[in-house]
Amino acid sequence: INRVVFLDVARQLAGGQPDPLAPGFEITAAHLDQTAKAQGVEVRKGDSLLIRTGWGQYFGKDNAKYLGEQSPGPGQAAARWVIGKGVRLAGDDTATFEKRPAAYGKELFSVHMMLLADNGIYIVENANLEPLGDAKAYVALLILTPLRIQGATGSPLRAIALAP
């Protein structure tokens, strides 16, 4: 349970329209900075951060696209931005959080490694962020209820955002 900042990168880059990001689009630190400034929010140490790519709308409607090899998401520069802000959890509305294909040279899923393994920042995938985007709820209270699975590296969870 903590404060969450919601950055609607897709809507920001589409000039206010709810259009999704293009397949394979890499979200950079500059995109995160620009979106935060445009939305008038500040990401603080200890916050959770949710990033809307617009791909959540494909979940259950176009699963081939949603689960495909070309989803948008944060790249390494965005990961460094998240780490620098001291975020405790980062998530988005795609199946794998980071841009796919998630390869930088020979490194696979380097954003996962940078956030989770190297810095202890939790990652949430498959978040339904359309309601937050439609409401323009850029700061809210986030409640996550993961399953208590002993020895697991992940868990399904219920995510609830309470917005003013």
Side-chain angles (χ1 to χ4, degrees):
I1 299 174
N2 77 320
R3 179 180 187 262
V4 64
V5 174
F6 168 66
L7 297 180
D8 195 341
V9 173
R11 198 176 303 256
Q12 171 66 23
L13 295 178
Q17 298 301 311
D19 300 341
L21 296 175
F25 184 87
E26 182 171 328
I27 296 171
T28 66
H31 296 130
L32 297 175
D33 261 338
Q34 292 164 2
T35 303
K37 287 177 185 160
Q39 292 177 185
V41 296
E42 177 186 355
V43 179
R44 301 177 191 155
K45 184 177 180 179
D47 281 348
S48 290
L49 174 67
L50 295 175
I51 302 166
R52 182 179 171 273
T53 69
W55 275 51
Q57 65 186 298
Y58 299 131
F59 183 84
K61 294 178 184 161
D62 188 349
N63 284 339
K65 184 171 191 169
Y66 184 76
L67 297 172
E69 295 296 320
Q70 291 290 318
S71 62
Q76 290 181 337
R80 285 189 287 277
W81 186 92
V82 169
I83 293 163
K85 294 290 183 182
V87 167
R88 80 186 271 200
L89 176 146
D92 74 11
D93 54 356
T94 68
T96 57
F97 180 71
E98 66 190 279
K99 176 192 101 54
R100 288 186 70 183
Y104 292 86
K106 293 182 180 178
E107 294 180 44
L108 295 175
F109 290 97
S110 60
V111 170
H112 274 69
M113 297 304 292
M114 293 168 72
L115 295 182
L116 189 57
D118 296 343
N119 290 281
I121 298 170
Y122 297 107
I123 297 173
V124 172
E125 300 160 337
N126 302 302
N128 178 9
L129 301 178
E130 295 306 301
L132 286 176
D134 293 343
K136 296 179 176 45
Y138 304 131
V139 177
L141 175 68
L142 181 65
I143 303 167
L144 297 177
T145 58
L147 298 176
R148 299 182 84 181
I149 305 172
Q150 188 172 5
T153 60
S155 167
L157 55 83
R158 183 175 305 264
I160 303 165
L162 299 174

